């Protein structure tokens, strides 16, 4: 069936027009199948190539490459596909792109990531709670992956700040070793307006970062993170003294 849809754009288009979001959700489950570990592997012996062809076929049906990356709102004027489907496409495919499980034909990872980022920043403030969580998770998966680079940071950081994606901004600052700035994002009143429970997530974020730094044996990073925590002890204690005590016990 997958091979047929890849080779028959008309049939794929008809399915997407019937219910694009549902089909994308099914595609996500198929892409996550591990070829080596599944007895019902639909991808054959060339999983990455087959998955990439499938994703490329869906992407080419839904995304208009003539629209500049920094003008995502133009999709909202289209009758089809719905902007919800466009956004879901980027949310769904960000993780496999970030993990290099798939590539999209005729498109560099930089272009995909840039387009995804502009859609995420465009949609975040208008999204409901669950969709904001999905946007944030997809965005962070890109920022923390090998497909991210400093050029993307310079292009998108101001958008992240102006649209108040606090958790995403924290991930971006942490990537560059600015843990004081990352903690400040979690405690920011401005960011908390859109993510009321953001401050509660700071301890999970710091634990994850410390664990990662220890695995990498990054002593400079560990010391930077420890210094950042120590400089914010009073503010962190106001958020959750018990979680702070646990963090200090395990990592400081």
């Amino acid at each position: 069936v997958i091979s047929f849809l890849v080779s028959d754009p008309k049939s794929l288009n008809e399915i997407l027009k019937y219910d694009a979001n549902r089909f994308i959700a099914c595609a996500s489950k198929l892409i996550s199948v591990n070829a080596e570990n599944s007895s019902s592997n639909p991808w054959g012996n060339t999983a990455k190539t087959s998955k990439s062809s499938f994703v490329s076929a869906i992407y080419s049906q839904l995304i208009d490459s003539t629209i500049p990356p920094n003008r995502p709102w133009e999709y909202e004027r289209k009758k089809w596909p719905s902007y919800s489907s466009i956004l879901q496409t980027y949310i769904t495919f960000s993780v496999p792109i970030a993990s290099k499980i798939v590539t999209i034909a005729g498109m560099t990872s930089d272009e995909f990531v840039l387009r995804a980022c502009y859609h995420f920043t465009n949609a975040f403030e208008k999204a409901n709670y669950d969709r904001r969580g999905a946007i944030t998770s997809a965005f962070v998966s890109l920022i923390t992956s090998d497909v991210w680079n400093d050029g993307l940071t310079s292009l998108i950081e101001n958008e992240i700040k102006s649209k108040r994606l606090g958790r995403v901004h924290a991930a971006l600052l942490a990537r560059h070793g600015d843990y004081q700035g990352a903690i400040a994002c979690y405690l920011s009143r401005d960011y908390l307006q859109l993510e009321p429970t953001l401050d509660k997530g700071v301890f999970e974020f710091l634990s994850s970062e410390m664990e990662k730094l220890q695995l990498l044996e990054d002593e400079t990073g560990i010391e930077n993170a420890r210094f950042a925590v120590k400089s914010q002890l009073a503010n962190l204690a106001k958020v959750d003294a018990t979680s702070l005590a646990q963090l200090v016990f395990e990592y400081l």
Side-chain angles (χ1 to χ4, degrees):
V1 174
I2 292 173
S3 299
F4 169 72
L5 291 175
V6 170
S7 63
D8 189 346
K10 183 178 179 180
S11 295
L12 178 58
N13 182 266
E14 289 174 355
I15 291 174
L16 289 168
K17 283 187 174 179
Y18 179 72
D19 193 337
N21 281 4
R22 188 173 181 181
F23 186 78
I24 293 166
C26 292
S28 176
K29 292 178 180 179
L30 285 170
I31 293 165
S32 67
V33 172
N34 188 318
E36 288 77 19
N37 299 329
S38 175
S39 58
S40 57
N41 166 34
W43 302 109
N45 296 322
T46 55
K48 182 172 182 177
T49 301
S50 300
K51 290 179 181 182
S52 295
S53 296
F54 186 45
V55 170
S56 297
I58 297 170
Y59 190 88
S60 65
Q61 290 278 353
L62 296 172
I63 305 302
D64 183 350
S65 61
T66 65
I67 295 177
N70 63 345
R71 298 180 66 84
W73 56 86
E74 291 193 16
Y75 285 94
E76 297 179 85
R77 302 171 184 168
K78 289 176 169 285
K79 291 183 178 179
W80 189 88
S82 69
Y83 190 64
S84 173
S85 296
I86 297 296
L87 186 59
Q88 192 60 43
T89 298
Y90 283 105
I91 289 172
T92 299
F93 295 152
S94 285
V95 171
I97 290 288
S99 305
K100 299 184 179 180
I101 294 172
V102 301
T103 57
I104 294 176
M107 175 174 285
T108 65
S109 60
D110 273 13
E111 183 180 350
F112 174 88
V113 172
L114 188 60
R115 286 181 177 275
C117 289
Y118 276 115
H119 280 289
F120 295 160
T121 55
N122 177 62
F124 186 74
E125 288 185 323
K126 297 172 281 188
N128 61 30
Y129 179 82
D130 289 340
R131 182 53 70 91
R132 284 179 184 171
I135 289 170
T136 295
S137 295
F139 213 150
V140 170
S141 74
L142 293 173
I143 288 174
T144 56
S145 74
D146 290 340
V147 301
W148 193 268
N149 57 58
D150 290 347
L152 290 165
T153 297
S154 65
L155 287 170
I156 207 70
E157 184 172 13
N158 286 337
E159 279 286 305
I160 292 171
K161 291 190 288 186
S162 67
K163 298 300 176 64
R164 297 185 291 177
L165 285 89
R167 201 180 305 269
V168 174
H169 193 197
L172 186 62
L173 293 173
R175 181 182 177 93
H176 294 283
D178 182 3
Y179 290 102
Q180 291 191 68
I183 293 173
C185 288
Y186 276 91
L187 305 181
S188 165
R189 290 183 180 179
D190 196 30
Y191 289 156
L192 280 163
Q193 289 179 14
L194 285 184
E195 297 182 85
T197 61
L198 178 64
D199 55 350
K200 300 293 191 289
V202 69
F203 301 103
E204 181 180 351
F205 164 75
L206 287 169
S207 295
S208 176
E209 286 296 315
M210 291 296 292
E211 183 176 345
K212 179 179 70 177
L213 292 168
Q214 288 180 348
L215 287 172
L216 293 173
E217 299 182 348
D218 182 351
E219 293 301 324
T220 300
I222 291 170
E223 287 307 310
N224 286 342
R226 285 173 174 166
F227 179 80
V229 172
K230 291 174 183 177
S231 68
Q232 290 277 13
L233 282 175
N235 290 326
L236 290 170
K238 292 177 184 177
V239 177
D240 188 333
T242 301
S243 294
L244 174 61
Q246 184 68 27
L247 180 73
V248 170
F249 176 77
E250 291 183 359
Y251 298 110
L252 269 65

